[in-house]
Structures are given as structure tokens and as C-alpha cells.
Amino acid sequence: MLRESVDAHWMRRCFELARDAASRKELPFGSVIARDDVAISAEGNGVRKAGDVTRHAEVCAIIAAQAALGKAALDGCTLYTNMEPCAFCSYAIRETRIARVVFALASPVMGGASRWDVLHDEGLSNSLPEVFGPAPEVVAGFLADEADAMLRQTAPMMWATSQARGLFVCDDADRQSRPARRAEGLFAGVKAGAMEMLRRRVFDRFSRGTI
């Protein structure tokens, strides 16, 4: 298959994993690690089930891939995720020497590329080559519109909140404005009680609550 077709296949698998995570009252994040176009691991967010704020989808996929391969290094692998990896996950990506990262929605508040540029930072591998692998190839905004639609359908309250706060956005500036305008209309109809509930919940990668 063509590279883009392979990427689309695994990204849509991330969407499935995100929907499954939402059905388990986890946040809707999913991640796949593949090498030579074959999946090694596929995991959704596991924070709530484990009671562990580190169980992000990317970390769960990394742990599963390491177990499947029987080693810590994931050289030559591609990590797919429907949301940009946060800084925490990005350090794990660099330490495991993943070669390529493909994500859909950008995270300008928490992202490990767009906010805290861990993924592209050559200083990590130049200063500590024994620990950090070379900066991976990063493909940002891949199937971002599909990812946005999936999030809106699967977790509409989280989608509206994240759009209003600029937590997860499409890569293109015009795409960023359209969801924000839709979010304004949705928020206008939300009652005070629902808003209070939303304020109590943490809509980020470290959520201890439900969607």
C-alpha cells in the first residue's frame, strides 16, 4: 500500500480505540505502534481503569509494544495517535527511539511538538545519545477533520470545552476557526448546572474523571 494509505488505515484504528476508550468512561484517545506496516500494539487511554494518570494511550501502546518485542527500544517504529502526544508522552517516544510520529489533532496547550517541542529537539539526542533517540519524523494534522468529527460525536461536551479553550485544534488556521464557531453555539445552550459539572472535570491528558 501507499504510505498515505497505510497511515490512514492505522489512524482510523486510533479513532476506533478512542471510541472504545470513551465507552469505558476513559478520555477518547487511542494509539497504534506499527513497524513495516504491521501493528505491534494498539491501545486506548487507561487512566481511569488503572487509577494512574500516566496511562495515556501512547504510553500504554509503548509498554505493550515493548512487551511484544521483548525489548525497550522501538527503532524503526511509527506511533499513531488521534491527538498530539503531550510532553510526557513525547519524552517516552524519544527514549524508546520511535522513528516516526503521526498525529491528527494538534494540542497547542499541552503538545510535545506544538507547545513543548520535545519531539523535534535535537539537543536531547546530541547531549544524551545513550538515552534519547534522534528526533523522529513528525506528520502533524493527518486526518485532522476526521479526528475532530470523531471527538465531537464521541464526547461532545469534551469537544466543546476543548474547542473553547483551544486544547485540541486542526492543523490549518481555517479549520481551527470553524470548530470554535460551532462550539460557541453549543455552549450558549448549556445550562449553569452542566457548566459547573464541566468546570469540576479535567479535560486534559491527566484527567482523573470521566468524559
Side-chain angles (χ1 to χ4, degrees):
M1 287 193 290
L2 295 175
R3 177 77 270 153
E4 186 171 344
S5 297
V6 172
D7 288 347
H9 174 76
W10 293 124
M11 182 59 73
R12 291 185 177 118
R13 177 65 177 131
C14 291
F15 298 164
E16 293 175 0
L17 293 164
R19 292 188 190 97
D20 178 69
S23 74
R24 294 183 282 105
K25 306 301 182 184
E26 299 279 1
L27 293 180
F29 305 126
S31 184
V32 171
I33 293 178
R35 186 164 62 191
D36 298 327
D37 302 338
V38 176
I40 300 170
S41 65
E43 300 288 334
N45 205 60
V47 168
R48 185 172 185 268
K49 179 180 179 180
D52 180 352
V53 298
T54 70
R55 301 291 290 181
H56 298 186
E58 297 94 328
V59 170
C60 291
I62 286 171
I63 292 170
Q66 290 173 325
L69 296 176
K71 60 179 183 177
L74 301 177
D75 304 80
C77 291
T78 296
L79 182 143
Y80 299 90
T81 179
N82 60 308
M83 304 291 186
E84 178 182 347
C86 68
F88 167 69
C89 293
S90 296
Y91 275 104
I93 289 167
R94 293 297 301 271
E95 285 202 47
T96 52
R97 300 178 177 274
I98 286 171
R100 190 166 174 265
V101 176
V102 182
F103 67 81
L105 294 178
S107 180
V109 174
M110 299 167 287
S114 59
R115 174 66 187 275
W116 316 105
D117 198 7
V118 178
L119 292 179
H120 294 109
D121 187 359
E122 295 286 358
L124 289 171
S125 49
N126 290 340
S127 300
L128 287 169
E130 302 87 356
V131 177
F132 296 105
E137 175 191 353
V138 177
V139 180
F142 187 75
L143 299 187
D145 281 336
E146 287 190 33
D148 181 69
M150 182 278 295
L151 184 62
R152 187 184 189 194
Q153 180 182 45
T154 304
M157 290 298 223
M158 176 186 172
W159 175 86
T161 303
S162 66
Q163 288 296 330
R165 298 177 184 176
L167 301 181
F168 305 117
V169 299
C170 295
D171 194 48
D172 180 89
D174 179 59
R175 292 175 184 169
Q176 292 181 33
S177 65
R178 283 184 280 126
R181 288 196 297 269
R182 293 197 300 266
E184 289 176 5
L186 180 58
F187 265 105
V190 177
K191 295 183 182 295
M195 286 300 296
E196 178 61 27
M197 177 192 71
L198 287 172
R199 282 191 291 269
R200 290 197 303 267
R201 300 187 191 279
V202 182
F203 289 99
D204 65 9
R205 300 291 247 186
F206 302 97
S207 176
R208 294 171 176 81
T210 57
I211 297 168

